[in-house]
Amino acid sequence: MTTFKEKRHVYTEKLNKDREEAESFYKKHLFDEVKNQFVQKVQLARSDDETRFSYDYLLMSVGHDISPLILWIEAIKPERVFFICSPDTIDYVNDIVEETGLKVTQVEYDSVSRIDASDVYQAIKHYVEKHQIHFFSKVAIDITGGKKSMISGCSLAANHLGIDILYIENNGHYPGHKVPEPGRETPTVLEDPLEVFGDRDLLTGIHKFNSEDFENAIEIFQQIQERVINPRKYQAYEHLATAYSHLESMVFDEAQVHIEKTIQIAELLELREIPVDKLKQQLTALAPLGELHKMSDERILSDGETYWHLFGYLFQLANHYRKRKKYDLTALLTYRCLEMIVQRLLLKRGISASRPKFGHLDYGSLINKVNEISKEIFHEFREIKTFGSKISLMQGLLILKALDEPLLRDIKLKSINNFINLRNKSRLIHGFELLDEERVSEFYGRIRGLNNKIWNEQRSEIQCDWSFDTFAKHFRFVDIEVTARR
């Protein structure tokens, strides 16, 4: 005789090949045993507490999977059952009645045409009043199936009337499939509906957000909103995760929109777990970057406010990844910050890195000076006769050195070149190496020192008295605080 375990193995194989065939096999060969096991689990729970899972009335939301409803009816054997359906699930009532052997006099149903939580609540309230039910300890609502809005209505009625909520916990799912593993169904009474409608998933969503997995955090917060009566709090979390997804991608205008919405909801609901004050400071820091996508390179570099706010964002992000030990990203961002420094210093001398012109300078003298400095830096020196159509980072440094840029007098170009070569070996650029903490932190520290020197010279451009570190911290990603209970 084929064992349940062997049948389950066959079901697994079919599930990976043909979903319809797997469902047919499940109904024919597995479901009866699943029912028997589930009934035994309920009976075992009753042996410890005879009032547990003992109900006269069973209210059930009908979804496209009727298996959970059949399991509960077989295990509880209620006197009356009330089905709450949508127009596309009403026909399943006949299947459930036939499968469970319920009598016509035991069954009632209501089709809620407009799937809304308040409509579901009204349907349950009407049923309770019709049958003059006053002892709600003998009533339970099963929420395992049905649409999320229907589940929300059931939860609202349960909360208001003090009715137990039943739920079948599926303690195992097949990889790549949403279907549960047969035989692992656990009958559960949800004493606190918030366990399903928010709290548990919210903790997961917050963890995803604080780990900077913003896309998955967004999805979780959206799913919670579909299951709760009042979604406003979760909308705030979703807006913040969306804002940071945009911020990480440097879509600053969209980031600002969603941060503003987060602040509005958080203040309205007094959500202390969201650091509103820090977000307000961040919103102010991001304001000059809202039109960045419309600005030319030269305008970004020449406008002090735009430049420093963008630089502050990038350098803070580099520091952020450095602290999280993501050294390849740190090197990439630090390199970009150095590139911005050089591009801006060149532009202040009338040289655009993307469209360089040297008519205002002694071109021949500049070429000779650059070649002279290059001899001391490169092992394989090659004399240049002209500059290219675009100025690279290292070439820009050489030109600034040749022009005796005061802010770069203490910079050792040979050392900087070594760091540039290190960055080029990264798996994110041209090579296959994993960059180590010591070298990347040294590179970051050198550029930080250079930038602090430049900041002290130029911060008057944006009328700021802060140190650069204080200025840049306003671009830090905030965390959502995890509280003990919501």
Side-chain angles (χ1 to χ4, degrees):
M1 181 179 290
T2 308
T3 65
F4 182 73
K5 185 176 180 180
E6 290 170 337
K7 291 176 183 177
R8 194 163 60 183
H9 178 70
V10 174
Y11 173 62
T12 307
E13 291 183 332
K14 291 182 179 295
L15 196 61
N16 290 324
K17 295 177 181 177
D18 188 322
R19 179 70 178 268
E20 280 191 28
E21 188 179 338
E23 289 177 356
S24 176
F25 182 86
Y26 173 82
K27 292 175 183 177
K28 186 175 181 180
H29 299 286
L30 280 169
F31 189 50
D32 284 343
E33 181 61 28
V34 168
K35 280 192 292 185
N36 292 336
Q37 290 183 20
F38 189 79
V39 169
Q40 290 172 17
K41 290 172 184 175
V42 170
Q43 290 174 345
L44 183 61
R46 281 177 178 164
S47 66
D48 295 331
D49 180 358
E50 63 181 17
T51 64
R52 192 165 176 80
F53 298 119
S54 296
Y55 305 102
D56 295 336
Y57 292 88
L58 194 52
L59 318 181
M60 316 191 84
S61 58
V62 182
H64 291 283
D65 181 8
I66 63 174
S67 302
L69 291 82
I70 294 170
L71 295 181
W72 279 124
I73 294 169
E74 293 283 5
I76 292 175
K77 300 293 183 185
E79 293 181 11
R80 291 180 178 274
V81 181
F82 176 53
F83 296 107
I84 307 142
C85 317
S86 63
D88 56 341
T89 64
I90 192 169
D91 290 340
Y92 290 128
V93 173
N94 293 328
D95 298 331
I96 299 168
V97 170
E98 182 180 352
E99 181 72 27
T100 57
L102 287 168
K103 297 176 182 178
V104 174
T105 53
Q106 291 179 278
V107 177
E108 291 183 50
Y109 66 89
D110 193 350
S111 176
V112 182
S113 58
R114 190 170 65 92
I115 301 303
D116 183 85
S118 60
D119 290 347
V120 176
Y121 171 79
Q122 288 299 326
I124 294 172
K125 186 171 179 288
H126 176 73
Y127 180 81
V128 167
E129 291 172 350
K130 176 182 175 182
H131 290 275
Q132 299 182 345
I133 301 172
H134 302 293
F135 299 102
F136 293 109
S137 61
K138 286 297 182 179
V139 184
I141 295 179
D142 167 46
I143 62 163
T144 312
K147 294 187 176 181
K148 294 183 173 90
S149 54
M150 192 177 287
I151 292 171
S152 296
C154 290
S155 173
L156 180 63
N159 259 328
H160 181 68
L161 300 172
I163 297 173
D164 282 352
I165 292 182
L166 302 182
Y167 186 75
I168 296 179
E169 190 77 49
N170 292 311
N171 296 308
H173 286 78
Y174 291 110
H177 301 281
K178 292 184 178 181
V179 294
E181 188 176 337
R184 300 192 67 181
E185 298 84 0
T186 302
T188 307
V189 177
L190 298 175
E191 296 177 359
D192 183 353
L194 290 177
E195 276 297 298
V196 168
F197 304 134
D199 274 12
R200 187 167 51 192
D201 287 347
L202 179 58
L203 290 175
T204 302
I206 290 175
H207 173 73
K208 294 288 186 184
F209 176 87
N210 291 345
S211 301
E212 295 165 24
D213 186 356
F214 300 126
E215 296 302 324
N216 277 320
I218 291 168
E219 185 176 350
I220 291 170
F221 296 146
Q222 287 174 340
Q223 290 172 353
I224 295 173
Q225 289 173 57
E226 295 175 358
R227 302 203 306 262
V228 298
I229 300 303
N230 187 356
R232 291 290 281 164
K233 175 170 67 174
Y234 308 101
Q235 288 172 358
Y237 300 136
E238 182 196 345
H239 280 306
L240 186 53
T242 304
Y244 274 23
S245 175
H246 287 307
L247 187 57
E248 193 175 45
S249 303
M250 297 179 66
V251 186
F252 297 113
D253 53 342
E254 288 295 328
Q256 291 174 63
V257 169
H258 288 280
I259 290 175
E260 286 175 349
K261 291 179 179 178
T262 303
I263 292 171
Q264 289 171 2
I265 299 172
E267 287 188 327
L268 180 67
L269 302 181
E270 297 182 352
L271 301 179
R272 296 181 180 179
E273 59 268 33
I274 294 179
V276 170
D277 289 342
K278 290 182 178 178
L279 287 177
K280 286 181 176 179
Q281 292 173 348
Q282 193 164 82
L283 199 57
T284 301
L286 291 172
L289 304 179
E291 300 290 316
L292 190 73
H293 58 290
K294 299 179 182 179
M295 299 170 68
S296 65
D297 293 355
E298 284 78 9
R299 186 181 168 192
I300 291 170
L301 293 167
S302 60
D303 181 78
E305 190 173 42
T306 305
Y307 170 83
W308 281 114
H309 282 255
L310 178 58
F311 190 95
Y313 162 82
L314 290 172
F315 207 74
Q316 175 56 45
L317 200 60
N319 187 35
H320 170 80
Y321 287 130
R322 182 178 66 89
K323 289 180 177 179
R324 295 201 170 220
K325 302 185 185 302
K326 297 181 178 180
Y327 299 119
D328 289 80
L329 286 171
T330 305
L332 183 64
L333 285 163
T334 304
Y335 178 94
R336 178 61 188 129
C337 288
L338 175 58
E339 195 171 44
M340 282 182 65
I341 290 172
V342 171
Q343 288 172 342
R344 190 163 199 251
L345 291 175
L346 284 170
L347 196 60
K348 283 181 174 292
R349 290 178 171 271
I351 305 169
S352 168
S354 58
R355 294 186 297 272
K357 294 179 181 179
F358 300 91
H360 60 296
L361 298 171
D362 186 337
Y363 192 78
S365 176
L366 184 60
I367 286 283
N368 291 337
K369 187 64 176 176
V370 166
N371 282 324
E372 184 182 328
I373 298 170
S374 299
K375 287 179 184 178
E376 301 174 5
I377 298 172
F378 302 112
H379 293 299
E380 298 180 1
F381 166 69
R382 290 183 181 179
E383 187 175 285
I384 62 170
K385 302 294 184 182
T386 183
F387 298 117
S389 59
K390 292 185 179 181
I391 299 175
S392 67
L393 171 57
M394 195 61 205
Q395 193 173 74
L397 284 165
L398 288 166
I399 291 171
L400 289 169
K401 270 286 190 178
L403 294 172
D404 195 27
E405 168 58 50
L407 293 169
L408 297 184
R409 281 174 186 164
D410 298 331
I411 294 293
K412 305 296 183 185
L413 291 193
K414 191 167 187 177
S415 175
I416 294 296
N417 187 58
N418 290 336
F419 287 129
I420 292 172
N421 289 334
L422 174 73
R423 167 262 188 189
N424 289 339
K425 293 176 182 178
S426 163
R427 293 184 181 185
L428 297 181
I429 310 300
H430 305 304
F432 299 97
E433 291 187 15
L434 283 174
L435 305 187
D436 64 83
E437 177 182 4
E438 183 179 355
R439 296 302 309 281
V440 171
S441 293
E442 186 181 355
F443 182 32
Y444 171 85
R446 290 284 184 90
I447 305 310
R448 179 174 179 265
L450 171 62
N451 179 66
N452 285 343
K453 182 178 178 181
I454 298 172
W455 170 261
N456 291 333
E457 291 268 346
Q458 299 179 359
R459 63 182 171 188
S460 59
E461 293 180 349
I462 58 172
Q463 299 179 343
C464 182
D465 295 329
W466 293 328
S467 68
F468 179 77
D469 289 343
T470 301
F471 168 75
K473 76 177 183 180
H474 295 113
F475 297 96
R476 289 179 186 169
F477 291 155
V478 304
D479 284 343
I480 298 175
E481 183 183 348
V482 179
T483 56
R485 192 70 184 162
R486 294 176 190 276

